[in-house]
Amino acid sequence: QLQLVESGGALVQPGGSLRLSCAASGFTLDYYAIGWFRQAPGKEREGVSCISSSGGTTRGTDSVKGRFTISRDNAKSTVYLQMNGLKPEDTAIYYCAARSMGLLVRVCGLSPSDYDNWGQGTQVTVSS
């Protein structure tokens, strides 16, 4: 089974930056679209950003456009989320996931229900 491990979460002040990493173990992830999602306490999990298997297509939710950038290094089996200009409302557990089933495994999407393999999450807290 493809396993994903997130890292890079931390406590950061508003306006700060973090880079999250999502590393695959057991298998390379160059065949799959990868998404970053987040879930704040008491709220539903939401799509943050995604990237196609080739890296040629990316999408981001409106609240993070211009601040967050997703990228991937398939040779390292790693996907990154560079987060700049962090706001308190960005506080959440951040998850990466691979779209590993069905006919659209290479296609970037922001719906959590489209993704099948999930990491354990990493906590991002934005507070002064």
Side-chain angles (χ1 to χ4, degrees):
Q1 181 182 358
L2 175 65
Q3 295 181 325
L4 303 175
V5 179
E6 302 95 333
S7 62
L11 172 65
V12 64
Q13 293 186 351
S17 297
L18 287 172
R19 188 181 73 164
L20 306 183
S21 297
C22 173
S25 62
F27 299 90
T28 61
L29 75 170
D30 59 348
Y31 189 77
Y32 307 111
I34 301 294
W36 281 100
F37 302 83
R38 65 187 181 188
Q39 188 164 19
K43 296 186 177 181
E44 294 183 350
R45 189 169 299 185
E46 66 170 342
V48 176
S49 188
C50 63
I51 187 166
S52 64
S53 60
S54 68
T57 300
T58 62
R59 293 186 174 91
T61 191
D62 287 344
S63 64
V64 308
K65 288 180 179 178
R67 300 190 297 122
F68 292 8
T69 302
I70 191 170
S71 62
R72 68 190 300 159
D73 186 341
N74 285 338
K76 296 181 179 179
S77 293
T78 302
V79 174
Y80 304 97
L81 184 67
Q82 179 66 47
M83 305 187 295
N84 299 323
L86 285 163
K87 303 175 180 179
E89 52 262 44
D90 295 319
T91 296
I93 300 174
Y94 283 71
Y95 302 88
C96 68
R99 192 175 192 177
S100 59
M101 294 184 181
L103 300 176
L104 301 175
V105 295
R106 297 181 181 270
V107 178
C108 177
L110 290 174
S111 175
S113 63
D114 290 336
Y115 291 79
D116 310 289
N117 283 277
W118 294 81
Q120 83 289 348
T122 185
Q123 178 70 50
V124 173
T125 302
V126 185
S127 177
S128 60

